[in-house]
């Protein structure tokens, strides 16, 4: 009787995804009690006030009007040239850094994080991530025998904790001489925080200081998965990636999941930014090799749709207007949640933009279980609770903080 | 001045994909000389006699009539349950093995090959592949620091070279105690060979004999990417995977690219077959972890379309009829090529099914260059030339062998 066939590094707990499990429970409750009596704040996808997934008409009309061959044909391994151009425009807008920039298509933002972590660390290396974090950074790292160390995202004043970032950054870099550090901003998942331009300056100063040692290899992975739901001003920091020292490579992970409501189509890009042309090309060919060796090429139809919308001024305008409408909806929900939290004295983390708001809490699992009894479904994390304002109508965003506060108080 | 930022294992030659490069040259020739004067036999996608990519109406009508949310929503990490059921039906038909079987969604067949190779070998291990082979097996292996050893696909009688398979299989297994061996059948890429049922029996006998040593871990990856363009009889071998010893795991790589003309949608599945329930589950969770860590989840719309077509008898019948029409077209082309080869004395490898026919040749690159001058574009491999009958109308399949023979003779 044998009990394992997989190689040791590929044996994982027989556990299903926790978030999808909670989402399924919320759906059961909706069936049983009616959607007006349930707050489903589990999934990170934009849902309208009727509880329906938002699917941009400008995106899906375009997809459905594509000639079949534009969906059916293989894409190029690194991505369609029109897409690779369009995705850079969409990502940077008027804040394109002055640098050599190469993009490679990936399945969602996940693929770009995978390329940054696998291609720019050595086995056994540690990746630097904030303590409030998107779990797949750790899943990718453990898949490939890499470890994760956390810097504190916030200091006592609820600002970006530059001291903690610096300390962990330098400790790891001195040890490894090579470091992939991850910053998820603007509209951080799960807190909704966005680094200010001054905070970005501090991050870049630390990188530059450490780049003086020519032996160091500094890779900053910037996850901008939610950028299209932040104000355009939030793109300003991209300009700061101009003319960096050659031993700093910035990789931007851009996703079409949220900004184009294309979650299920799996399209994104890894965008490498370097002041050295060779380094930018090495990035391109490294990612292209990884594409070929993992998923071969990406979703042709998704690339076509995105490129067509970006290149056609009328289509782009219509898309922007549609997105703006939902961005306003999202903002109002978040404002309602923040205001209600203040009113009931619920401590939340500083929200700036995006799909989520987080509540620090030392017993998140118990509070989440308690709230489930009252048909409020949210995600318990190690450090607290994640509330998905993207998925909850404004009126429910107003009442949820009181429910959460009450549940927390009842357990303390 | 630094010249590299990537980790050593992720630095690759700055080369673009050779096949796509040749395909681009063929397209240039078509523009210049007209499509009637060019034979473009480069890409492995089914093209009709007008030179247009075949896109099944039954597939794309279904896609375009899906509610947007069925395309836009995230899929489950391991794949939608209806899809995971449908894909097993589509793959095995009436020849489902008597075993524990678990499927996981992957982007195309490539993703399933990636899971088999990465999750079932150790770093430095060697994967066993036939000498006529699909190059990405080597790309995946080298991406992950694995090596590849080749068995001879054919013996002197142009049958499956069971002696070479056995010798290499046992040498590697004795050394590693763990082996991923790959067989691409039916409709092998690039030769069009399909193992006979008797040849499959021989392969399984070798595996069983070596499974007697309980220390051995034998993983057979069966790539059936082209199975939907072979006769249904070619599925019979699946039954032979019933009740195998527990230390043999069979992983079938199934792809929707060809059978559903969904190349650009990137959908397939890895299907694990074991007589041990635990091993099948280990496979499932290992692949699900890898999904989450590489591309997160797969194309929701592609899964929906496939499941809907498979579950609805009328839709399935229409799909089968549409596919049968093109399978007949493909057969006639291949027969024309084989017959013309005999007539002009061009030695080709034994073709049974599928998109490609191969011609052994020691100077493939020169012959290919020579043929390009005459506007015949095909793919030079290490051991010969690959002609894509899937992409060339019947009348051109009749004349191509004489052109190839002449070019080969002129260079000898």
């Amino acid at each position: 009787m044998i009990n394992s066939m997989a190689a040791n590094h590929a044996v994982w707990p027989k556990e299903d995804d926790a978030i999808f499990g909670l989402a399924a429970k919320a759906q059961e409750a909706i069936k049983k009690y009616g959607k007006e009596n349930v707050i489903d704040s589990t999934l990170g996808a934009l849902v309208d006030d009727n509880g329906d997934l938002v699917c941009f008409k400008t995106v899906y009309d375009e997809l459905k009007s594509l000639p079949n061959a534009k969906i059916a044909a293989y894409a190029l391994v690194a991505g369609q040239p029109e897409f690779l151009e369009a995705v850079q425009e969409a990502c940077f807008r008027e804040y394109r850094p002055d640098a050599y920039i190469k993009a490679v298509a990936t399945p969602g933002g996940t693929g770009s994080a995978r390329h940054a972590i696998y291609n720019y660390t050595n086995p056994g290396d540690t990746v630097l991530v904030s303590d409030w974090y998107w779990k797949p950074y750790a899943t990718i790292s453990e898949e490939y025998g890499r470890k994760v160390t956390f810097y504190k995202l916030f200091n006592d004043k609820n600002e970006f904790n530059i001291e903690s970032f610096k300390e962990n950054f330098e400790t790891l870099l001195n040890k490894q001489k090579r470091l992939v550090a991850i910053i998820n901003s603007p509209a951080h998942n799960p807190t909704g925080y966005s680094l200010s331009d001054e905070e970005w300056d501090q991050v870049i100063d630390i990188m530059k200081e450490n780049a003086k040692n020519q032996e160091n290899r500094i890779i900053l992975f910037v996850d901008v998965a939610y950028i299209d739901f932040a104000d355009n001003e939030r793109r300003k920091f991209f300009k700061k990636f101009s003319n960096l020292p050659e031993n700093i490579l910035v990789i931007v992970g851009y996703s079409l999941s949220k900004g184009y409501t294309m979650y299920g189509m799996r399209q994104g890009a890894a965008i490498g930014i370097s002041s050295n042309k060779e380094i930018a090309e090495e990035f391109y060919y490294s990612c292209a090799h990884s594409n070929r060796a993992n998923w071969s090429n990406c979703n042709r139809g998704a690339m076509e749709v995105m490129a067509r919308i970006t290149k056609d001024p009328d289509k782009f305008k219509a898309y922007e207007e549609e997105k703006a409408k939902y961005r306003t909806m999202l903002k109002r929900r978040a404002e309602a949640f923040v205001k209600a939290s203040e009113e009931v004295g619920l401590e939340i983390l500083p929200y700036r933009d995006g799909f989520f708001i987080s509540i620090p809490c030392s017993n998140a699992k118990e509070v989440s279980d308690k709230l489930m009894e009252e048909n409020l479904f949210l995600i318990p994390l190690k450090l607290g609770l994640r509330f998905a304002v993207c998925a909850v109508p404004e009126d429910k965003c107003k009442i949820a903080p009181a429910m959460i506060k009450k549940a927390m108080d009842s357990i303390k």
Side-chain angles (χ1 to χ4, degrees), chain A:
Chain A
M1 187 80 180
I2 64 158
N3 55 23
S4 176
M5 285 291 288
N8 284 340
H9 65 267
V11 179
W12 298 107
K14 294 178 177 175
E15 285 166 5
D16 293 308
D17 190 271
I19 293 184
F20 284 108
L22 285 167
K25 281 190 186 171
Q27 287 306 310
E28 278 169 35
I30 287 172
K31 270 186 198 151
K32 201 164 166 188
Y33 303 106
K35 67 180 170 186
E36 63 285 5
N37 299 310
V38 175
I39 301 182
D40 175 8
S41 170
T42 52
L43 287 184
L46 195 63
V47 170
D48 68 18
D49 289 345
N50 290 322
D52 296 321
L53 184 71
V54 174
C55 310
F56 289 168
K57 194 170 148 34
T58 47
V59 166
Y60 288 95
D61 283 358
E62 191 66 35
L63 175 69
K64 289 181 172 177
S65 69
L66 282 183
N68 291 341
K70 296 288 179 189
I71 304 172
Y74 282 122
L76 293 174
V77 167
Q80 296 303 97
E82 312 81 59
F83 169 74
L84 296 177
E85 205 180 290
V87 81
Q88 293 179 44
E89 284 172 37
C91 179
F92 300 128
R93 302 276 172 110
E94 64 267 45
Y95 302 110
R96 185 184 172 89
D98 184 11
Y100 294 98
I101 300 179
K102 294 288 272 183
V104 174
T106 57
T110 304
S112 63
R114 183 259 170 227
H115 286 353
I117 291 172
Y118 182 72
N119 291 348
Y120 287 88
T121 61
N122 285 314
D125 274 4
T126 297
V127 174
L128 184 59
V129 176
S130 62
D131 56 352
W132 288 89
Y133 71 111
W134 184 58
K135 204 178 161 207
Y137 300 141
T139 312
I140 297 167
S141 300
E142 71 182 10
E143 169 89 1
Y144 291 116
R146 274 65 168 170
K147 295 186 285 284
V148 169
T149 280
F150 302 105
Y151 62 94
K152 283 193 165 49
L153 182 58
F154 296 111
N155 62 20
D156 295 345
K157 295 181 214 154
N158 267 347
E159 296 158 344
F160 183 75
N161 196 327
I162 193 71
E163 289 78 16
S164 178
F165 179 81
K166 182 175 194 284
E167 187 190 327
N168 285 284
F169 183 96
E170 291 181 346
T171 302
L172 286 172
L173 187 61
N174 288 339
K175 190 175 148 211
Q176 300 176 172
K177 300 291 166 207
R178 160 183 298 283
L179 177 62
V180 171
I182 301 181
I183 292 183
N184 176 201
S185 180
H188 174 260
N189 173 3
T191 69
Y193 192 69
S194 299
L195 270 70
S196 69
D197 290 337
E198 294 69 34
E199 288 168 340
W200 269 117
D201 285 335
Q202 293 175 319
V203 168
I204 290 168
D205 283 347
I206 291 167
M207 293 202 301
K208 280 187 179 165
E209 187 59 35
N210 283 280
K212 285 178 185 163
N213 179 344
Q214 286 287 309
E215 270 185 66
N216 287 339
R217 297 282 179 276
I218 298 168
I219 298 94
L220 177 69
F221 180 71
V222 187
D223 187 339
V224 301
Y226 297 87
I227 198 167
D228 286 312
F229 281 91
D231 289 340
N232 199 40
E233 295 290 287
R234 294 283 192 216
R235 286 183 158 83
K236 263 192 182 167
F237 73 97
F238 285 135
K239 266 284 179 199
K240 301 179 194 291
F241 300 145
S242 303
N243 305 309
L244 291 177
E246 291 183 333
N247 52 346
I248 299 175
L249 171 69
V250 178
I251 303 174
V252 175
Y254 185 80
S255 170
L256 305 195
S257 295
K258 292 85 185 176
Y260 296 78
T261 64
M262 277 193 193
Y263 319 90
M265 296 182 74
R266 315 306 308 133
Q267 191 60 48
I271 308 175
I273 303 169
S274 172
S275 58
N276 179 326
K277 195 178 178 207
E278 293 288 308
I279 300 296
E281 291 196 342
E282 180 189 64
F283 166 82
Y284 175 86
Y285 286 101
S286 183
C287 292
H289 190 282
S290 291
N291 275 8
R292 193 69 177 108
N294 286 282
W295 48 76
S296 191
N297 50 89
C298 291
N299 187 325
R300 175 68 178 263
M303 287 191 248
E304 288 285 337
V305 168
M306 194 277 184
R308 282 167 189 237
I309 289 176
T310 310
K311 293 291 175 187
D312 180 316
D314 291 338
K315 288 179 180 171
F316 188 68
K317 188 163 169 276
Y319 157 75
E320 284 282 279
E321 284 169 3
E322 188 174 17
K323 190 172 61 182
K325 189 180 82 181
Y326 288 106
R327 197 158 58 203
T328 302
M329 179 187 82
L330 183 65
K331 276 199 172 184
R332 291 177 57 160
R333 290 178 182 177
E335 282 164 12
F337 190 97
V338 170
K339 186 158 170 276
S341 298
E342 280 169 16
E343 286 166 5
V344 301
L346 176 69
E347 188 203 340
I348 63 171
L349 292 172
Y351 173 87
R352 299 286 179 270
D353 310 280
F355 280 24
F356 306 109
I357 294 180
S358 285
I359 301 120
C361 164
S362 58
N363 47 3
K365 180 75 177 59
E366 291 100 306
V367 177
S368 163
D369 286 347
K370 178 92 185 162
L371 284 165
M372 259 194 274
E373 292 168 17
E374 300 177 45
N375 286 328
L376 193 164
F377 296 81
L378 40 57
I379 303 298
L381 306 169
K382 216 163 40 178
L383 301 179
L385 300 158
R386 185 188 86 172
F387 188 89
V389 284
C390 58
V392 178
E394 194 179 338
D395 56 340
K396 289 180 182 164
C397 285
K398 278 183 190 158
I399 60 169
M403 294 170 71
I404 297 168
K405 179 77 164 65
K406 196 176 145 209
M408 284 171 68
D409 289 347
S410 78
I411 287 170
K412 257 177 212 166

